[in-house]
Amino acid sequence: MTLFGEVFNGSNHNDDDGMRRLKVAFKLGGMLTASIVALSILFNYIVSVTRIGAGHVGVEVVLSGSQRGASEIPIRTGWVFYSPLRSQIVEFPTYVQTVKWTRDLNEGRATDEAMSFNSKEGMEIYSDVSLSYSIEPKRVPDFYVKYRVTDLGQFTHGILRDVVRNSLNEVASTYTVEQIYGEQKAAFLNEVQRHIQQQMDAVGVGIQQFGFIGAPRVPAVIANAITGKAQAIQDAERARNELAKTQAEAAKQVAEAEGEAKSSVTRAQGEAEANRIRQTSITPQLLQLRSLENQRALIERWNGQLPSVETAGSSSMMLQLPSTR
């Protein structure tokens, strides 16, 4: 600061000194500018720094020397120093990516991206699909070496889309349109997802989800025929269930009636057998014994007094006591 102050304080120095100091100032300014340029060259072409954010992995790609190519060891989260003259850093997200390919211009990208594929009969089917995937962090170098893309969008809407479309066509060629549209739709989608995963395993791409958005689109006459057939099957099944229910109720009533009849017969047979036994067991000796037992019971209950009132014909009902004489 003193030097620059003296340079511009011309009132205290002669002209020669002022010129000398002016030259020194220009020299210092030039040196400062050269230093800034040198540092700029250093940090832009010789040494550079970048930061790998959370949920991302970097790959160092060596551009010169005998070790040219992608490094086998991925770069994790944090600051990274590298030489732009020797290498570059390519960054990829490792969190789940979701893409939708539809005909709706307001969903996904503003273009018709619906998938088309052919069924076993050769029927062309259109569908909107969604897919979710993620890259395994330690496999990011393999991914880069395989596809050589620096923008994940290029992979998603280029390479991955082609894999999905080819998988749909390959699997659909073994399914009828009725199976894809109807009750085997889930099995069809699972098989397509497995087919996509098999092709992505080598580069560490994991398919998290794959499915239709809405129902597949087929010609209206085919859709109506499939719906009508499904309704007819449901109606027939409901009729069978109702018939089975009616038959079960009738069988129950018949069983109850048969049970009641058998029970009545059993009771009647029991009563008849009891009566037979009673009839065969009654003899004159048994009747005389029962009469004597009844008389003995009356004697045991008598208190020795005669009745104070006797009605006509009552004497015949009086028990004749034996004489005490």
Side-chain angles (χ1 to χ4, degrees):
M1 294 298 294
T2 304
L3 178 60
F4 283 100
E6 291 179 354
V7 169
F8 293 101
N9 190 3
S11 60
N12 297 327
H13 302 277
N14 55 32
D15 292 340
D16 293 339
D17 291 340
M19 185 60 67
R20 182 175 59 83
R21 288 179 173 82
L22 183 60
K23 289 180 180 179
V24 172
F26 277 118
K27 183 181 290 186
L28 291 174
M31 292 174 62
L32 181 60
T33 301
S35 298
I36 293 173
V37 172
L39 289 173
S40 177
I41 293 173
L42 175 66
F43 284 103
N44 285 298
Y45 297 99
I46 299 177
V47 177
S48 188
V49 62
T50 187
R51 183 177 180 274
I52 306 299
H56 292 73
V57 167
V59 178
E60 183 179 8
V61 183
V62 180
L63 304 175
S64 62
S66 60
Q67 301 296 325
R68 281 180 294 183
S71 172
E72 295 181 357
I73 303 175
I75 303 171
R76 300 304 179 95
T77 304
W79 294 101
V80 180
F81 291 90
Y82 67 100
S83 171
L85 293 176
R86 180 178 178 273
S87 61
Q88 73 176 116
I89 303 299
V90 181
E91 187 176 351
F92 292 98
T94 55
Y95 51 84
V96 175
Q97 307 287 313
T98 298
V99 59
K100 297 178 181 179
W101 293 301
T102 75
R103 66 176 178 178
D104 188 351
L105 303 184
N106 296 317
E107 189 170 13
R109 298 198 299 182
T111 182
D112 185 352
E113 296 183 311
M115 295 282 183
S116 65
F117 50 93
N118 295 322
S119 68
K120 187 175 183 179
E121 311 94 333
M123 179 71 65
E124 189 170 21
I125 303 172
Y126 292 88
S127 65
D128 301 333
V129 302
S130 68
L131 180 144
S132 298
Y133 73 94
S134 63
I135 307 174
E136 189 178 351
K138 66 180 181 181
R139 304 290 299 282
V140 167
D142 297 331
F143 177 85
Y144 176 78
V145 170
K146 174 73 173 179
Y147 298 115
R148 296 289 180 177
V149 294
T150 57
D151 180 7
L152 202 58
Q154 297 175 357
F155 165 77
T156 300
H157 296 286
I159 299 167
L160 183 59
R161 176 179 168 83
D162 289 342
V163 170
V164 172
R165 183 172 52 211
N166 293 337
S167 297
L168 278 168
N169 273 296
E170 185 169 343
V171 177
S173 65
T174 63
Y175 282 77
T176 65
V177 62
E178 183 179 353
Q179 291 172 332
I180 297 172
Y181 192 85
E183 60 183 11
Q184 294 192 39
K185 180 173 67 176
F188 168 74
L189 292 173
N190 288 335
E191 189 170 345
V192 174
Q193 181 172 338
R194 286 194 299 269
H195 198 274
I196 299 171
Q197 184 63 72
Q198 288 174 358
Q199 299 179 69
M200 293 289 103
D201 276 339
V203 291
V205 175
I207 307 302
Q208 311 295 330
Q209 172 272 332
F210 175 79
F212 289 143
I213 301 176
R217 295 184 291 277
V218 297
V221 62
I222 301 298
N224 293 336
I226 294 174
T227 302
K229 181 179 179 180
Q231 185 63 46
I233 293 174
Q234 292 178 0
D235 292 342
E237 184 65 24
R238 182 165 51 252
R240 281 195 296 269
N241 292 337
E242 291 176 353
L243 176 60
K245 181 179 179 181
T246 301
Q247 291 175 339
E249 291 178 350
K252 180 181 177 181
Q253 292 175 358
V254 169
E256 291 177 349
E258 290 178 350
E260 181 64 26
K262 290 180 180 179
S263 177
S264 299
V265 169
T266 301
R267 287 196 299 269
Q269 290 175 344
E271 292 177 357
E273 182 64 20
N275 291 334
R276 186 187 64 79
I277 293 173
R278 292 191 192 99
Q279 290 175 359
T280 57
S281 64
I282 297 175
T283 62
Q285 292 81 5
L286 179 60
L287 291 176
Q288 185 177 5
L289 176 61
R290 291 285 184 264
S291 176
L292 292 175
E293 289 177 348
N294 291 335
Q295 290 180 5
R296 181 178 179 181
L298 290 174
I299 292 171
E300 290 177 351
R301 290 197 300 271
W302 185 55
N303 56 9
Q305 297 179 357
L306 294 173
S308 57
V309 178
E310 292 184 7
T311 59
S314 62
S315 60
S316 63
M317 299 296 295
M318 293 297 295
L319 179 64
Q320 298 295 325
L321 297 177
S323 174
T324 57
R325 296 181 181 179

